[in-house]
Each structure stands twice: as C-alpha cells, then as structure tokens.
C-alpha cells in the first residue's frame, strides 16, 4: 500500500477520503484554492498545498498545478473524488506520466465511457440493453428531427459530453424540436465546451436504478447491488437509497448482469457506477430497464451501498490502485438492511432553490446517523463551488426504519444564518407515496408546492419565542406588544402578544413554550430551530430603512455572484408571484430569479452575458394596490 495520498478535490468528499486514509495509516495531502485556504478539508489534512485562485478552472481543474502539487508534496497517489477532474482521462494520464498512482480506472476506460454517444455504441456492441435512441456523427437538424420522429415522442435531447443533468431537454412534439435543440447546444457548449448531442426515447414516469461495480487489475469484477436514485430535481439526485424498493430477484439478476457486462466491455478497474433508466409503471421488469451511462468514479451516493454491504469503498479503491485483488468475492457480498441518503445543500427551496452563501455562525448536524460533511461551525459557504455541504445517511433493518431515522435527522439540522434544504428533505421523506415506494423521477416536481412551501413556525415554537422575548424585555430589550385580538373564549387564561417572525407579524401565546427550544441570540433577533428550518423572532417590526430581510420591497437582486444567461421579461411586463424574471448561472447551476409577488416589472437592468455581483439589483416588481 502507498503511504500518502493527495485528494484533488474539496468539501465533503475530500474529508470522506481522508477519513479512510487516516484509518489505514496513509498520510493525507489536501489541495486548495484561495477561497478554501481555511476550509475544513485543509485544516484536517496532514499537509495542504495551495494551487491557485478561487475559480475552479484555475485551481481544482488545473491539471498542471495539481500534478505539481502532488510532486511537491511527495504524495505517492492521487484520488480525484467526484466532480471536478474525476472523469478526466487527461488528468489520469498526467498523474500516471508523473510516476504517481492514480486512484481510479484506466484513462482508456474513462475515455470509452466519457461521451454518452460512443458509450452507447460500445454498450450495444457488448449486448447491454441500451435506452432506445439515436447517436451518430452529429448531423443536421433535419437528420436529428427525422431520428426523433422514428423514435416517437417524447424524446430527450442530451449533450454527448453531459453530466450533472445539464443540457438535457425533453421534446413532446416536432414543433418544439428546434428550440429545444438550440437550448441543449447552448448549455452543452457553455458547460462542457462541446455541443454535440444524442437522442433518447423519453421513458415515461421512470425510475433511476444504478449498479455499483468494482474491478481489480487481476481480472476480478464484482457488483455491489443496486441503488435507487429516483428522487431528483432538475435531473440531479436529491435522495438515494439501497436497495431499490420493489426490486425482485429476477430484475436484480438482470440489471446487475448488465452492469457487469458493461464494465467488462471496457476492462474496468476500480469503482464505477452503471446507471439505468427503468419503465416501472407496472413494477420493475427485467425487459424494461436500459443502460443510460456509466460514471467512471466514486459516486456521491456511494455511502448507501457501504451501509447495506458493510464495506468501505474508498478502502477498496486504495487497495485496487495499489495492485491488490478485490477484498471480497461476489458470493461474499451480501445485502443487509436498508440505507437512505439525503443531500444537504445550501439553498432556499421556497425561493426556487436559490443557493445560500455566507457564514455558518451556527451549525448542528444530527447524531445517530452517518454524516459526511464538508463544513464545520464557523465556516463560510462561498459562491465558487457547488452547494452540497453534507450528506446524511441512515441505516436500519427495514426501509421504513431507515426513512424514519433520516427524516428525523433532517428535521434536526440547525444552520444560521446560512439556509439549507433540510426541511424540504424531511418533507420528501415523510411523503406517504415515498414511504410506499410509489415514485418516479417526476415525484418532486409533482409535489413542489407542498415540498418547497415556505416553512412556518408551530404555535408552540412561536409561544416559546414570545416567552423568551418577554424574558429578555424584563432585562431591558423591547417587549412584545399585547394584542387583544388573541383573546379566546373558553381558553385557559393566557396572554397573546404580537411578535415578528422573519419580518412578518405573528400572534403568539405567552405561555411557556417547549422548555428545550434551542435559542440563539443574534443581535435583535432570537433564532429558533424547528423541523430543519431556522426562524428569526423579534419583539418589534424589522427596520425597513436598514434593508435587512426586506423581501417586501419587490427588489429582485442577484443572490450570489454569477452570469446572466436568460432575461425572460421586458420592462413594464405584468408578472405573477413566482414568475421567473432572470436566470443567472452560479455554483455550477442555472438559477431562476422569481417575482416576489404579483406586479409590474420596473428598472430592469439585467442583460444576457452580464457578470453580476452579489446583491446587485437586477429588476424591481412594483406591487399593485389591491
Ligand atoms: P453522482 O452521479 O455521483 O450522484 P451527480 O450526477 O448527482 O453525482 O452529480 C455530478 C456532479 O455534479 C457531482 O460530482 C457533484 O460535484 C456535482 N453536483 C452534485 N450536486 C450538485 C448541485 N446541487 N449543484 C451543483 N453541482 C452538483
Ligand atoms: P447525466 O450525465 O447528466 O447524469 P443521465 O443520462 O445520467 O445524464 O440522465 C440524468 C437523469 O435524466 C436521469 O437520472 C433521469 O432522471 C433522466 N433521464 C435520462 N435519460 C432518460 C430517458 N431516456 N428517459 C427518461 N428520463 C431520463
Ligand atoms: Mg447520470
């Protein structure tokens, strides 16, 4: 085994890889950009090397700088994590050419699976069932349209070089094909520098099922069963689990055999995932599950497999990279229980999942479940990289048990002032259809209004806040005002007071609230946590002049630095609350900025291509008097 490893990555995955390295006595080397000089992954590594400025292109994506860092630090091996350069054959080659051990598959295997169109051809030749589609030398629009007609509507247009759900467009009729093709090419060129596309039949109401595979350099190849990653938003995974609900021995046998055939066709060595799409309208069936793509790296959701199979996949990666054979044979790999993972992201679901950036003055992550986190209390989440800050993974003997434990864990997340999707995750996990395993990839969209609704404090929490504010008032702060509107007949005698929650007035009983309410005194406000959300309570209305929390003024501003990619309204346009006015690209995603209420657009200053600063005003919605 090598004695030191450099992880060419950041955040939770760098820390997760370090954890295994430390356990195995392997020295850890971190890399960082200027934005991460004091990041958690840097603090905990044995050594750290600064590689460049904050933009990923000049740091975490810079092959020469990363290879130089590895040589300079004396690391013997390089682990790429996921994202960034993890699927770059050129990086794998550069690492090997420098005489270092590459913890990943061969450059040839990465290349063979890297482009979706050539991967499809390779898989068809290997006899793997592939989603019906069209790939070829990227033809004219007429060729593509004819191919789409042959496949039958709806079809998906995908970027050949795509990943992370980007570029994919669904087309339901020939009339929409041209615009969708242009949009796919635009996004593909911007994100991957390659605008070639392929077509696939759009499987209706599908489930995403994937199989973890592992090969070694001695011809060994095993699978570690399937994961279900059906709960997605914008074609990105949100909640994943292993095994897949409703899986039968026959379908498992078929899909795992297909995954092994796919891996074998490219002489796969290391950890990989073969992704399939399943038409599960009549349950999972062996003849209705097709290859989509292979990810030639460790997957974000690998912990659910670790939990049900009882192995450490990063340890396996190290051993295989060091030339050892696979630790277990196929018949020694057995499923035990159920595991579910939720991706905790710094984002605001009730505002169109806009990313949240800033300090984590307060952070409490749950206990009793596995937590793979990229941050600690006191850290700051910046605008440069993606919004995933932690993963929560629960295991139990049954799916019901694991889901319940994970829902509780998500509800227990506390962050301030940074916001997360914890409440949204808890609601997904509490959904009766999810609990019954009735889901397809449209699950979240179909329930978005409920799942992403703005959280509201319970009466008990408001009551606790009112009591605490009153106690503070006794010490000299401003007191909650009495309000006779709260008087109720036949109610036990209690005083009702008016307080403010996140800037909105609220009536609360001045009875003792829950004793153990977690209070955080943030200047003027008291912060209380409930069901994954933070609520800022105050005894007096917010100071509008100060501009704090003034969502009521109709301003639509850039929530973080980024680039304007779409302006969908004109000056003077009449809009409804929630209509998308401007789309900006930041943190590896496109974000729609919505109208805060019904009204008329004024002062529209955003133009496509503009680079915008955080907080920069882009437009204003003037409300109409009722
Ligand atoms: P995986 O296939 O391993 O589950 P995904 O396909 O979900 O990973 O994501 C692909 C890459 O996109 C990941 O390597 C990750 O770095 C990045 N990513 C994941 N989630 C987000 C997100 N919410 N925003 C931006 N990037 C993301
Ligand atoms: P990426 O490389 O961006 O991850 P994938 O090909 O893996 O692209 O597809 C991402 C997601 O898009 C899938 O998880 C699935 O939800 C959806 N999807 C992809 N192909 C199809 C298809 N043929 N029919 C229906 N949904 C699909
Ligand atoms: Mg995929």
């Amino acid at each position: 085994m090598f004695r030191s490893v450099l992880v060419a990555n950041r955040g939770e995955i760098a820390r997760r890889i370090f954890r295994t390295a430390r356990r195995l006595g392997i020295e850890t080397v971190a890399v960082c950009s200027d934005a991460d000089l004091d990041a958690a992954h840097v603090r905990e590594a044995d050594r750290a090397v600064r590689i460049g400025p904050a933009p990923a292109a000049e740091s975490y994506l810079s092959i020469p700088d990363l290879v130089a860092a590895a040589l300079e630090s004396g690391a013997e091996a390089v682990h790429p994590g996921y994202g960034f350069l993890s699927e770059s054959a050129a990086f794998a080659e550069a690492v090997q050419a420098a005489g270092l051990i590459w913890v990943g598959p061969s450059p040839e295997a990465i290349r063979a699976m890297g482009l979706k169109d050539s991967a499809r051809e390779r898989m068809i030749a290997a006899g793997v069932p592939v989603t019906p589609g069209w790939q070829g030398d990227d033809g004219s629009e007429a060729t593509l349209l004819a191919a789409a007609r042959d496949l039958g509507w709806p079809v998906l247009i995908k970027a050949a070089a795509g990943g992370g759900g980007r570029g994919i467009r669904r087309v339901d009729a020939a009339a929409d094909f041209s615009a969708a093709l242009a949009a796919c090419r635009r996004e593909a060129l911007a994100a991957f520098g390659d605008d070639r596309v392929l077509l696939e039949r759009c499987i209706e109401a599908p489930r995403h099922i994937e199989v973890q595979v592992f090969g070694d350099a001695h011809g060994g190849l095993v699978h570690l069963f399937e994961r279900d990653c059906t709960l997605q938003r914008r074609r990105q995974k949100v909640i994943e689990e292993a095994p897949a609900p409703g899986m039968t021995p026959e379908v498992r046998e078929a899909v795992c055999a297909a995954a092994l055939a796919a891996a074998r066709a490219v002489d796969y060595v290391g950890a990989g995932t073969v992704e399939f799409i399943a038409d599960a309208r009549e349950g999972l069936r062996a003849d209705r599950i097709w290859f989509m793509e292979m990810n030639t790296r460790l997957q974000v959701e690998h912990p659910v497999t670790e939990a049900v199979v009882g192995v450490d996949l990063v340890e396996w990666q190290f051993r295989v990279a060091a030339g050892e054979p696979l630790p277990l044979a196929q018949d020694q790999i057995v499923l035990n229980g159920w595991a579910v993972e939720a991706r905790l992201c710094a984002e605001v679901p009730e505002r169109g999942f806009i990313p949240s950036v800033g300090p984590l003055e307060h952070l409490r992550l749950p206990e009793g479940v596995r937590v793979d986190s990229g941050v600690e209390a006191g850290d700051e989440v910046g605008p440069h990289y993606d919004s995933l800050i932690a993963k929560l993974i629960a295991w139990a003997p049954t799916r019901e048990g694991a889901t319940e434990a994970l829902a509780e864990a998500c509800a227990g997340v506390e962050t301030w002032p940074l916001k997360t999707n914890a409440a949204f995750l808890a609601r997904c996990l509490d959904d009766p259809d999810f609990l019954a395993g009735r889901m397809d990839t449209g699950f979240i969209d179909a329930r978005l209004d409920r799942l992403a609704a703005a959280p509201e404090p319970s009466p008990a929490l408001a009551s606790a806040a009112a009591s605490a504010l009153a106690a503070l008032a006794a010490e000299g702060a401003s007191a909650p005002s009495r309000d006779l509107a709260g008087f109720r007949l036949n109610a036990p005698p209690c005083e009702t007071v008016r307080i403010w929650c996140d800037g909105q007035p609220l009536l609360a009983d001045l009875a003792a609230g829950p004793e153990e309410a977690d209070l955080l005194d943030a200047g003027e406000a008291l912060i209380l946590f409930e069901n994954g959300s933070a609520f800022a309570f105050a005894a007096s209305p917010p100071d509008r002049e100060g501009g704090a929390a003034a969502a009521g003024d109709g301003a639509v501003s850039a929530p973080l630095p980024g680039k304007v990619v779409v302006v969908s309204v004109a000056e003077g346009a009449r809009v409804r609350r929630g209509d998308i006015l401007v789309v900006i690209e930041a943190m590896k995603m496109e974000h729609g900025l919505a109208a805060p209420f019904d009204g008329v657009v004024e002062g529209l200053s955003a133009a496509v291509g503009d680079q915008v600063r955080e907080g920069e005003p882009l437009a204003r919605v003037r409300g109409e008097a009722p």
Side-chain angles (χ1 to χ4, degrees):
M1 178 61 72
F2 41 83
R3 282 158 307 178
S4 57
V5 64
L6 177 143
V7 177
N9 214 301
R10 63 183 303 282
E12 71 85 16
I13 191 60
R15 300 182 80 194
R16 186 263 167 273
I17 295 163
F18 289 159
R19 198 154 67 221
T20 294
R22 275 197 301 273
R23 183 169 60 73
L24 298 178
I26 299 170
E27 202 188 355
T28 56
V29 182
V31 293
C32 65
S33 70
D34 288 343
D36 278 342
L37 293 173
D38 187 36
H41 79 279
V42 171
R43 295 197 298 267
E44 74 178 25
D46 294 318
R47 265 170 309 139
V49 184
R50 175 200 169 268
I51 33 174
E58 298 166 61
S59 50
Y60 297 106
L61 291 174
S62 169
I63 294 176
D65 288 311
L66 288 162
V67 172
L71 292 173
E72 173 195 324
S73 67
E76 290 173 48
V78 174
H79 193 307
Y82 57 71
F84 293 126
L85 293 170
S86 59
E87 293 182 89
S88 162
F91 185 44
E93 276 164 356
V95 166
Q96 291 175 342
L100 305 167
I101 295 171
W102 166 250
V103 185
S106 68
E108 294 74 32
I110 296 176
R111 208 159 262 138
M113 291 298 189
L115 292 173
K116 289 190 204 297
D117 49 357
S118 40
R120 284 173 54 87
E121 271 166 6
R122 195 92 180 232
M123 293 302 104
I124 292 166
V128 174
V130 170
T131 318
W134 176 94
Q135 67 282 333
D137 286 333
D138 197 346
S140 63
E141 186 174 322
T143 313
L144 288 164
L145 180 59
R149 286 187 203 277
D150 286 349
L151 281 172
W153 310 106
V155 299
L156 290 184
I157 310 177
K158 288 188 179 182
R166 305 199 60 174
I168 301 176
R169 292 291 184 286
R170 175 189 164 124
V171 191
D172 287 280
D176 304 328
F177 191 80
S178 183
L181 178 63
C184 176
R185 287 201 198 277
R186 171 185 66 77
E187 197 173 344
L189 192 64
F192 314 111
D194 179 344
D195 70 355
R196 290 176 321 109
V197 301
L198 60 103
L199 304 176
E200 279 181 14
R201 179 178 301 156
C202 184
I203 308 302
E204 297 276 15
R207 278 171 60 186
H208 174 121
I209 308 271
E210 59 183 35
V211 177
Q212 176 73 55
V213 296
F214 226 111
D216 66 22
H218 309 277
L221 180 68
V222 297
H223 70 78
L224 294 96
F225 301 105
E226 81 282 356
R227 295 185 284 258
D228 186 312
C229 311
T230 295
L231 257 61
Q232 305 182 350
R233 197 182 77 83
R234 310 218 299 189
R235 303 203 166 86
Q236 282 192 342
K237 299 159 189 169
V238 174
I239 287 171
E240 307 104 334
E241 59 187 301
M247 182 55 85
T248 64
E250 184 213 350
V251 177
R252 177 172 290 143
E253 168 104 30
V255 73
C256 291
L260 289 176
R264 204 173 291 115
V266 293
D267 297 324
Y268 201 80
V269 173
T273 294
V274 186
E275 294 189 334
F276 296 87
I277 195 91
D279 175 348
R281 285 174 296 180
E282 296 174 277
L284 292 171
R285 291 182 34 167
D287 58 351
R288 294 191 190 168
I289 184 160
W290 301 276
F291 172 91
M292 268 194 305
E293 65 160 345
M294 180 169 189
N295 290 326
T296 52
R297 56 174 161 90
L298 192 67
Q299 206 98 339
V300 175
E301 59 276 19
H302 74 277
V304 292
T305 296
E306 296 185 322
V308 292
V309 173
V311 304
D312 178 337
L313 289 170
V314 173
E315 176 179 346
W316 282 35
Q317 287 189 296
F318 286 162
R319 294 197 181 285
V320 163
E324 295 181 26
L326 289 171
L328 296 178
Q330 188 69 68
D331 61 3
Q332 296 173 300
I333 300 171
V334 286
L335 271 177
N336 175 29
W338 214 284
V340 189
E341 172 182 282
R343 298 188 186 197
L344 187 69
C345 294
E347 62 190 15
V348 193
E350 66 271 26
R351 292 185 55 210
F353 294 85
I354 207 91
S356 179
V357 296
L360 268 166
E361 283 163 26
H362 177 86
L363 169 69
R364 182 180 292 172
L365 293 172
E367 279 159 24
V369 296
R370 172 171 167 182
V371 176
D372 283 17
S373 161
V375 291
E376 305 258 306
D379 286 351
E380 179 137 350
V381 175
H384 301 288
Y385 314 109
D386 73 57
S387 58
L388 181 75
I389 57 169
K391 303 181 308 204
L392 310 180
I393 306 104
W395 180 92
T398 62
R399 181 173 190 264
E400 203 181 0
T403 306
E404 199 176 302
L406 188 61
E408 197 176 305
C410 291
V413 169
E414 298 180 358
T415 63
W416 175 263
L418 192 89
K419 293 184 180 254
T420 74
N421 62 345
F424 163 80
L425 294 171
R427 289 174 184 163
C428 290
L429 291 161
D430 277 339
D431 184 282
D433 287 326
F434 177 75
L435 293 172
R438 279 190 302 268
M439 56 207 188
D440 59 54
T441 58
F443 179 96
I444 288 176
D445 279 343
R447 295 163 180 77
L448 201 58
D449 284 350
R450 189 165 57 72
L451 297 175
E456 285 179 13
S458 68
L461 194 78
S463 175
S467 309
L469 288 167
L472 274 180
E475 297 165 20
S478 68
S481 55
R482 288 192 167 69
D483 197 314
L484 289 175
F487 178 75
R488 283 177 294 162
L489 281 174
N490 302 327
C494 77
E495 199 174 0
T496 298
V497 294
R498 184 187 296 281
I499 58 173
W500 274 260
C501 177
D502 296 334
Q504 300 298 317
L506 184 79
L507 294 178
D509 287 346
L510 240 193
E515 291 298 316
E516 79 292 5
D518 197 343
L519 288 172
L520 189 70
D521 186 351
E524 291 295 284
L526 280 176
I527 314 303
L528 275 81
F529 300 96
E530 187 176 56
N531 291 331
S533 294
F535 299 96
F537 291 98
S540 48
D543 172 12
R544 297 280 176 203
E545 313 303 291
D553 70 357
V556 175
S557 49
L560 70 178
K563 187 167 131 191
V564 176
V565 290
V566 178
V567 177
S568 44
V569 289
E571 181 77 12
R574 191 169 294 267
V575 291
R576 305 286 308 272
R577 173 171 183 265
D579 284 354
I580 301 297
L581 311 183
V582 176
V583 179
I584 66 167
E585 194 199 86
M587 287 174 103
K588 287 173 66 187
M589 298 273 294
E590 293 192 347
H591 307 283
L593 307 184
F597 39 71
D598 298 0
V600 173
V601 177
E602 304 186 322
L604 182 70
S605 61
V608 171
D610 285 358
Q611 207 66 46
V612 292
R613 284 172 291 110
E614 180 179 354
E616 185 167 328
L618 305 176
R620 180 175 296 275
V621 176
R622 181 168 47 81
E624 291 166 316

